[in-house]
Amino acid sequence: GAGVSQSPSNKVTEKGKDVELRCDPISGHTALYWYRQRLGQGLEFLIYFQGNSAPDKSGLPSDRFSAERTGESVSTLTIQRTQQEDSAVYLCASSFKTGSMAFFGQGTRLTVV
Amino acid sequence: ILNVEQSPQSLHVQEGDSTNFTCSFPSSNFYALHWYRWETAKSPEALFVMTLNGDEKKKGRISATLNTKEGYSYLYIKGSQPEDSATYLCASLTAGGTSYGKLTFGQGTILTVHP
């Protein structure tokens, strides 16, 4: 596609429910990143993919968070049993290769009530 | 320096002023340093990717320098305009091990340019 696309743009969910956030990177981009920004804070690294592999999962806050990428394309970030502290804007970015300029999606604003 | 740090946290300038801010990053295992501009209600947009010590990049009124040996980069804006108001983020990429490819962001500098 023309840019990085994320869906949904907004998600309100009840505490304890599972949510799936989707990222469609720019076609041909091998690297894909997930970040989140909680209110008043900076961009927090969650995970990145090189191809379909995730060399570094150290940023995932807990075992309730998981992510996968298939076909060196779409990535899904899943949060199980959501908690109020999971409320944040979740941003996805992709780049042609590791280290090159990253292009960001518009983000998914997740609100856990 | 273990993390990416930016200063100042926020900055208010008048239209026409020139300004600069700093990004400090781990100098060991350095691979690349990125600068992004993040305007309200938009996505972060890449400004520069810098890899070599002594690199200088320029885009219009915005320029950046890089010192990989001491672990800092400066971003300069000449003749600030209200449309330059945004959060400016830097991000460091280190080489080696499982952290290779991990783009770590600083907290950003919020720039407000008053007409």
Side-chain angles (χ1 to χ4, degrees), chain B residues 62-112:
Chain B
I62 305 177
S63 60
T65 60
L66 179 67
N67 182 321
T68 61
K69 295 186 188 306
E70 296 181 43
Y72 65 84
S73 175
Y74 294 133
L75 189 79
Y76 300 91
I77 303 178
K78 185 177 178 182
S80 303
Q81 299 297 307
E83 58 265 30
D84 295 330
S85 296
T87 298
Y88 290 81
L89 298 166
C90 69
S92 169
L93 193 71
T94 52
T98 57
S99 292
Y100 174 61
K102 179 181 178 179
L103 198 58
T104 303
F105 283 83
Q107 295 290 318
T109 292
I110 303 170
L111 174 67
T112 305

Side-chain angles (χ1 to χ4, degrees), chain A residues 73-107:
Chain A
S73 180
V74 173
S75 176
T76 304
L77 178 69
T78 302
I79 309 173
Q80 294 178 309
R81 306 181 303 282
T82 51
Q83 304 294 312
Q84 287 186 327
E85 62 263 28
D86 299 334
S87 296
V89 175
Y90 288 81
L91 282 165
C92 173
S94 70
S95 64
F96 178 68
K97 60 177 182 176
T98 298
S100 59
M101 189 173 287
F103 294 82
F104 282 81
Q106 293 289 336

Side-chain angles (χ1 to χ4, degrees), chain A residues 7-76:
Chain A
S7 61
S9 54
N10 277 286
K11 177 73 176 178
V12 179
T13 190
E14 291 181 353
K15 179 180 170 181
K17 300 277 190 183
D18 298 351
V19 294
E20 274 192 2
L21 311 181
R22 179 187 168 107
C23 173
D24 280 276
I26 292 172
S27 178
H29 279 197
T30 62
L32 186 147
Y33 305 87
W34 282 100
Y35 294 89
R36 74 174 176 183
Q37 186 189 34
R38 292 192 275 192
L39 194 62
Q41 299 188 18
L43 280 177
E44 177 187 358
F45 170 83
L46 297 178
I47 191 170
Y48 87 94
F49 290 89
Q50 179 58 44
N52 294 331
S53 301
D56 188 346
K57 300 181 182 180
S58 64
L60 293 176
S62 73
D63 59 7
R64 295 186 295 105
F65 286 71
S66 63
E68 65 173 16
R69 187 180 185 195
T70 56
E72 295 199 358
S73 180
V74 173
S75 176
T76 304

